[in-house]
Amino acid sequence: MSDQTFRYDLNGQVMGITAARADLWPSFDLMLGALRVDEPAQPGFRVDIVEALELQENPRGKLAFDGEVPLDGHCRMIDAGSVFHLVFPGQQTVSIHDGEARAEIRLHPDSKIKWTLLMMVLDAALDADGQHMLHTAGLTLPGKDGLVLIHAPSGTGKSTTSLALASQGFGLCSDDVMILNANGQGISAWGIPRKVKIHRNTAAMLPFVAPCLGETWDAEGEQSVSLDRLGEIIRVEDVRARPVAALLHLARSADGETRLLPMARTDAMVALATDNVRTGMTGLLSLQKRRMAMIATLVKAVPTFTLEVGARPDEAGALIRAAVDI
């Protein structure tokens, strides 16, 4: 049986996944299914998935990481200069060839592709096209094409704030991950279309989301809601890249009041880099250096603010509209 290839359009960067069987890449389809394209196109980044009983677990290079990663367990990362290796012993490996726009995943037949590996391959595919994935929410301004990026570490309230702003006429691009690109016209961004996880506390604070929710909550007290379902109560934007108008760093209000305050660009850069740039035992890898450069370009190009959210996150909408003019 000949290999099968699926293609995903990452805002003009086509990533091609080739494997002997379609069930070897379900993790890619779960995240990127909405971006899949059926018509033939020359991939700008190629990923080959190979089943193997024996894995190449000790490639040459400098050990960049050796330890546990959330959800996926123990792994090693090896920096070999032009090649970066991620090894989950006895389960799977990936070799990412910097400058060649390709990656090879070797998978033990009893193993499923892990989230950490998937995200590293996606990072590499985007990086090969000058795009960079950042842990931020993104929303378009009411009646405008420009968008604001909202940054905060997990658990600080990005999803709650994003949905609250959507109730005030903002358009939801993503509540968690945005892809940035810099060109002669400035900084643009687009959001990967993925389900939104809504927490019980968010549902209690924002009753308007109730029609999208069922009766069952997971162990973390969350429900995953599709963008199609959310689109029935708020405006959900398509994946088209749009100009970035401002960067907001989310913080909890100490007195329950919601306010928007100017933030020093250096502070904004440190906050964004701390959450988005990984440092290994060998320092910054090449991809991480390029992501850091993108963050520096972003904070130089757009206004930066601290958004202190209080008991009424929807009040942030009027403050943002007054401060951001695009």
Side-chain angles (χ1 to χ4, degrees):
M1 184 174 63
S2 61
D3 288 350
Q4 301 178 55
T5 299
F6 276 14
R7 299 173 180 85
Y8 303 90
D9 185 353
L10 309 175
N11 190 37
Q13 167 73 324
V14 176
M15 179 172 68
I17 314 290
T18 301
R21 303 192 318 275
D23 62 357
L24 293 179
W25 64 68
S27 299
F28 285 95
D29 235 29
L30 283 173
M31 183 174 186
L32 303 174
L35 302 178
R36 207 166 85 189
V37 290
D38 295 326
E39 60 272 14
Q42 183 66 32
F45 190 91
R46 296 181 293 109
V47 182
D48 294 312
I49 305 177
V50 179
E51 280 189 303
L53 290 173
E54 294 186 5
L55 303 177
Q56 300 168 352
E57 298 186 6
N58 296 291
R60 293 182 178 180
K62 297 178 181 178
L63 186 65
F65 178 83
D66 187 355
E68 300 287 315
V69 291
L71 303 177
D72 288 338
H74 176 254
C75 70
R76 295 194 304 274
M77 301 178 189
I78 296 95
D79 180 6
S82 62
V83 185
F84 175 80
H85 303 277
L86 171 63
V87 177
F88 285 93
Q91 300 175 72
Q92 59 201 257
T93 67
V94 64
S95 300
I96 298 172
H97 296 259
D98 194 17
E100 296 183 22
R102 67 181 181 92
E104 183 183 63
I105 298 171
R106 299 182 69 84
L107 195 66
H108 192 276
D110 295 329
S111 180
K112 300 291 186 184
I113 293 178
K114 293 181 179 289
W115 182 254
T116 303
L117 188 150
L118 165 64
M119 296 303 287
M120 285 196 168
V121 170
L122 180 56
D123 255 348
L126 290 164
D127 176 66
D129 190 50
Q131 302 185 69
H132 294 276
M133 180 163 42
L134 291 186
H135 184 211
T136 69
L139 295 108
T140 54
L141 294 156
K144 309 268 186 170
D145 200 39
L147 56 81
V148 293
L149 300 178
I150 302 176
H151 165 256
S154 295
T156 309
K158 282 197 310 299
S159 295
T160 302
T161 302
S162 297
L163 291 170
L165 289 172
S167 74
Q168 302 300 305
F170 288 68
L172 180 66
C173 297
S174 173
D175 74 320
D176 193 51
V177 176
M178 294 293 291
I179 313 300
L180 271 69
N181 190 18
N183 53 42
Q185 286 71 49
I187 304 284
S188 62
W190 59 281
I192 290 179
R194 52 189 293 191
K195 293 182 177 181
V196 174
K197 290 186 176 180
I198 298 179
H199 195 275
R200 286 180 183 270
N201 296 340
T202 299
M205 187 177 295
L206 306 174
F208 75 90
V209 302
C212 295
L213 301 175
E215 299 296 326
T216 305
W217 302 86
D218 66 17
E220 283 74 43
E222 296 178 325
Q223 291 188 30
S224 293
V225 180
S226 71
L227 294 181
D228 286 343
R229 189 74 181 91
L230 278 174
E232 297 174 8
I233 61 170
I234 62 172
R235 190 170 82 256
V236 175
E237 302 288 11
D238 58 30
V239 296
R240 178 168 51 90
R242 295 170 169 84
V244 178
L247 172 66
L248 315 179
H249 178 71
L250 194 62
R252 296 188 186 277
S253 173
D255 58 6
E257 296 295 320
T258 297
R259 55 179 64 88
L260 188 67
L261 306 169
M263 184 180 195
R265 296 183 189 276
T266 51
D267 293 340
M269 182 169 176
V270 169
L272 201 53
T274 298
D275 194 38
N276 284 279
V277 179
R278 296 185 298 271
T279 303
M281 291 152 60
T282 58
L284 287 179
L285 301 173
S286 296
L287 184 150
Q288 301 297 329
K289 291 178 181 178
R290 292 190 287 268
R291 190 198 307 273
M292 190 71 180
M294 172 65 77
I295 290 173
T297 301
L298 171 66
V299 299
K300 288 178 183 177
V302 303
T304 54
F305 300 90
T306 297
L307 175 59
E308 296 183 357
V309 176
R312 292 284 308 278
D314 56 338
E315 293 177 347
L319 299 176
I320 294 170
R321 288 197 302 270
V324 180
D325 181 22
I326 186 172

